[in-house]
Amino acid sequence: MKSPIYILGTGLSHNGSAILLKDGRVCAGIEKERLSRIKHDGGNDTLAVQYCLDAEGITLKDLALVVQCANLDIPDRNYFKGKRLFAAAPELKVITISHHLAHAYSAVGTSPFTECAVMVIDGCGSQLEHFLELHPEQKKYIPQNLQDDIHMQCEKDSFYHFDGQQLIPLVKDFSRMATSKSNIFSPPTTLHSIGGFYATISNYIFGDLDDVGKLMGLAPFGTSGVFDFKAFEFQSGNVLVNEDWKSQLTNPSHGYDYFKTHFDYYANVARWAQEQVEQAVITCITNRLEQFPHDNLCYSGGVALNAVANAKLQDSNTVKNIYFEPAAADNGLALGCAFYGWLEYLKMPKVAHDGSTCFGKHYTNEAIDAAFAKAENQKYTPTKYNSDEALMDYCAAQLVQGKTIGWFQSGCEFGPRSLGRRSILAHPGIENMKDHINRDIKFREDFRPFAPAVLKDKVDEYFVTGRNSPYMILVDQTRPEYREALQNVTHKDGSARVQTVEASWNPKFAGLLTEFYRQSGIAVLLNTSLNKRGMPIVETPEEAIQLFEITALDILVIENYVLEK
């Protein structure tokens, strides 16, 4: 019997991760933060790589190839912020690719397209010097004035054509890095990136560059048109961040109490910034497609997580078909590395992806029993349901009554969204449920929204556009007649970041939604990640039990085991 071909992809940027392909299909994958329990953790990849090997039951000797990617580094194969596993396997082939190329391959490898255009937009990719060292054959795609610039230049957006086997660069845009770290408007990104701009506004409002998701949630509370200055300009088809707006923003937040006192002001800034990003994304992608038309587009990079901009891009009809990569930020680099190894390096044919983002390992009943057997957990007496039908009936009935459920099932999701494997679930329409979860379970700001998970064949009934949105990466508008019934998952402006649930790769979650619909008449559940503020999404049964202990969750379901308070 022919041995399988294993390729390991590893991302060493912030939001580090590892992915294992078996004969061109993902068989295991994890983000480092889920294991180290440190948000946005990156650098050394030992934890994530070992997890993938253990999940598949293989060793380094079984790997055909390792493909790696960082951000501002070309990592050493043996040492990167500590000793790496590959140091013990000198015969193992380890290659490095550039940052945007990894983003792009993460999209084409998981997309439904055999041929497409690919857009990558983020805050900062590989520096030009490293890009040319890794891909000297692509020097012809870089304008001479960029090659002659003595300043540090890094990728900010890239546009490719995928011919079914390899990516061909069409437009590569680089920008100088910001230099002054003392200025609040100079984050560690390129000067002229859309992602860098959004991170800058996040820092201005929240004092944190990584709160861009929170910024998108704040924007609906603001009013359009309060500020009339522009953040971006376009020269020869390239996006540039102008400087004028910086002198207009003179009141950075000084902590959460200050933020609350000046809430309307910061909401207006967030609204302005969100609208600037939407316009910049659509203009940039439209420009590229006008130069190189194609019916299919893959979109990746950190900016591609902006669900509001994504929906507006889709509604603009700029392109016929768009695939938004679910792990579009740096957590998806490992995915792209692995697919580069399969498609480009080994020249193997693309294998159709099943649409799932759930790459984590499964925890056996023995592992769950061991978690309950720990001394600190023996105060709980779990109930085990012998059939999925009985479990669904019980859980749906509890949700109807207003109970909150921690829902832990099968292998975890890869990417920033919980999609029914590591979720907190609740009724979408019971009054004050949103506030209760934000305050007593998530321990986060009260303006933060929650997403509706809806059965795929019912999405048209509840939401205006009725988009297919399996990865919670697009917004829609809740139909007016359902806004009260869906009050906990409908945002200030009537929008909702929808997740459409299908049984093909999410069978247990689809089953629960179906039973909740039968009992309540509503085919929608509130779905948010199984964690609290500042904590990575739980990975293990032990972590789920600990979260249950320290929050106001009413019920915890781990596979077919149920805990109640």
Side-chain angles (χ1 to χ4, degrees):
M1 185 176 178
K2 186 179 178 182
S3 298
I5 298 173
Y6 286 108
I7 297 175
L8 181 80
T10 176
L12 298 153
S13 182
H14 67 288
N15 294 326
S17 61
I19 286 284
L20 187 63
L21 294 189
K22 178 181 181 181
D23 293 333
R25 288 188 174 92
V26 179
C27 62
I30 195 71
E31 295 164 69
K32 184 183 176 184
E33 69 166 27
R34 307 288 182 92
L35 307 174
S36 69
R37 310 308 298 160
I38 301 170
K39 287 282 284 183
H40 309 299
D41 202 7
N44 186 274
D45 56 358
T46 295
L47 281 175
V49 170
Q50 191 64 60
Y51 175 99
C52 290
L53 297 175
D54 292 345
E56 183 63 12
I58 64 171
T59 68
L60 291 175
K61 292 181 180 179
D62 297 300
L63 297 177
L65 176 69
V66 174
V67 185
Q68 65 180 3
C69 175
N71 195 341
L72 302 177
D73 305 278
I74 298 179
D76 183 87
R77 75 181 306 282
N78 297 329
Y79 296 89
F80 188 78
K81 300 184 179 179
K83 189 175 181 180
R84 303 175 71 190
L85 292 176
F86 314 129
E91 73 288 348
L92 179 59
K93 181 74 173 179
V94 180
I95 64 173
T96 307
I97 64 172
S98 57
H99 195 89
H100 278 198
L101 193 63
H103 274 312
Y105 269 104
S106 77
V108 299
T110 55
S111 82
F113 306 136
T114 54
E115 187 180 339
C116 58
V118 185
M119 188 81 220
V120 177
I121 305 177
D122 65 2
C124 178
S126 294
Q127 57 180 296
L128 180 58
E129 179 184 359
H130 291 163
F131 173 82
L132 292 174
E133 182 179 342
L134 294 171
H135 312 293
E137 76 286 354
Q138 294 190 19
K139 186 175 182 179
K140 61 187 176 182
Y141 300 110
I142 309 302
Q144 191 62 45
N145 65 307
L146 290 180
Q147 297 183 46
D148 293 339
D149 195 321
I150 63 171
H151 297 88
M152 183 177 175
Q153 304 266 350
C154 292
E155 296 170 310
K156 71 181 185 70
D157 60 78
S158 299
F159 192 71
Y160 303 86
H161 173 72
F162 179 64
D163 65 5
Q165 193 69 50
Q166 67 175 347
L167 281 161
I168 301 155
L170 300 174
V171 180
K172 292 287 299 178
D173 198 5
F174 288 76
S175 167
R176 290 182 185 180
M177 287 289 288
T179 54
S180 172
K181 300 299 184 291
S182 60
N183 187 327
I184 193 171
F185 296 125
S186 296
T189 66
T190 58
L191 285 170
H192 294 293
S193 69
I194 298 173
F197 164 77
Y198 210 58
T200 294
I201 301 299
S202 169
N203 194 37
Y204 178 80
I205 294 177
F206 302 115
D208 191 331
L209 294 167
D210 289 321
D211 275 339
V212 289
K214 191 188 301 185
L215 185 63
M216 187 173 62
L218 176 61
F221 291 90
T223 302
S224 295
V226 172
F227 306 112
D228 61 357
F229 40 88
K230 300 291 185 182
F232 300 98
E233 57 187 5
F234 296 84
Q235 296 181 8
S236 303
N238 293 333
V239 180
L240 300 177
V241 178
N242 68 44
E243 296 291 315
D244 298 343
W245 60 271
K246 296 180 181 180
S247 63
Q248 305 291 326
L249 301 182
T250 57
N251 187 26
S253 182
H254 303 292
Y256 189 53
D257 288 339
Y258 190 86
F259 165 82
K260 288 191 293 185
T261 301
H262 299 86
F263 182 84
D264 289 346
Y265 168 75
Y266 292 116
N268 290 335
V269 173
R271 181 65 172 253
W272 168 79
Q274 174 64 34
E275 291 174 349
Q276 296 299 301
V277 165
E278 293 162 10
Q279 182 181 2
V281 165
I282 293 172
T283 301
C284 186
I285 292 176
T286 299
N287 175 274
R288 304 298 188 254
L289 287 168
E290 285 174 347
Q291 295 179 69
F292 306 100
H294 205 288
D295 283 346
N296 302 326
L297 175 70
C298 284
Y299 181 28
S300 190
V303 176
L305 288 178
N306 192 306
V308 180
N310 290 348
K312 292 192 175 179
L313 173 63
Q314 193 175 72
D315 289 344
S316 72
N317 295 317
T318 300
V319 64
K320 185 176 179 181
N321 306 304
I322 309 178
Y323 172 71
F324 299 94
E325 212 281 85
D330 281 10
N331 46 16
L333 293 176
L335 197 58
C337 287
F339 280 117
Y340 174 92
W342 179 259
L343 293 165
E344 173 65 18
Y345 192 84
L346 295 186
K347 306 296 182 186
M348 300 297 284
K350 181 180 174 180
V351 179
H353 183 61
D354 66 1
S356 175
T357 66
C358 303
F359 307 145
K361 69 179 182 182
H362 295 229
Y363 289 87
T364 62
N365 286 344
E366 290 75 19
I368 299 169
D369 287 335
F372 288 131
K374 290 192 171 184
E376 62 269 27
N377 297 329
Q378 289 184 8
K379 60 186 171 184
Y380 295 114
T381 304
T383 300
K384 186 177 181 183
Y385 283 78
N386 294 322
S387 72
D388 285 351
E389 292 76 13
L391 178 68
M392 302 304 174
D393 180 73
Y394 165 81
C395 290
Q398 299 306 304
L399 290 163
V400 169
Q401 292 174 27
K403 298 293 181 66
T404 55
I405 295 181
W407 182 254
F408 181 113
Q409 299 292 334
S410 194
C412 69
E413 305 91 338
F414 185 87
R417 308 297 181 212
S418 287
L419 303 173
R421 301 292 185 94
R422 301 288 188 276
S423 290
I424 293 170
L425 307 175
H427 196 295
I430 291 178
E431 191 173 359
N432 296 323
M433 179 64 76
K434 170 181 174 290
D435 293 337
H436 166 59
I437 297 174
N438 269 330
R439 181 183 61 246
D440 304 321
I441 297 175
K442 301 289 281 190
F443 304 113
R444 67 183 197 177
E445 302 89 347
D446 58 6
F447 68 85
R448 304 280 294 276
F450 293 111
V454 57
L455 291 170
K456 183 180 178 181
D457 62 356
K458 296 292 184 183
V459 65
D460 283 330
E461 180 179 343
Y462 297 95
F463 303 100
V464 172
T465 307
R467 319 174 187 279
N468 182 37
S469 179
Y471 310 118
M472 208 187 286
I473 205 168
L474 293 162
V475 300
D476 207 330
Q477 286 285 315
T478 302
R479 291 188 182 277
E481 62 269 30
Y482 283 108
R483 288 188 180 177
E484 183 176 353
L486 303 183
Q487 60 184 281
N488 296 309
V489 294
T490 300
H491 207 13
K492 170 78 171 178
D493 59 352
S495 65
R497 194 181 67 215
V498 177
Q499 176 199 357
T500 49
V501 180
E502 47 197 286
S504 60
W505 59 270
N506 225 344
K508 212 161 184 177
F509 192 36
L512 177 60
L513 264 168
T514 300
E515 180 59 24
F516 181 76
Y517 176 49
R518 189 188 71 79
Q519 293 190 28
S520 70
I522 304 171
V524 180
L525 280 171
L526 181 155
N527 180 18
T528 187
S529 52
L530 189 56
N531 63 346
K532 67 182 183 70
R533 183 183 180 186
M535 171 192 285
I537 298 170
V538 305
E539 164 60 20
T540 67
E542 291 93 335
E543 291 159 6
I545 296 168
Q546 181 188 33
L547 184 70
F548 179 65
E549 170 77 13
I550 63 176
T551 69
L553 276 169
D554 297 307
I555 296 166
L556 175 64
V557 179
I558 303 178
E559 299 296 347
N560 280 37
Y561 294 80
V562 174
L563 292 184
E564 295 182 77
K565 283 183 179 156

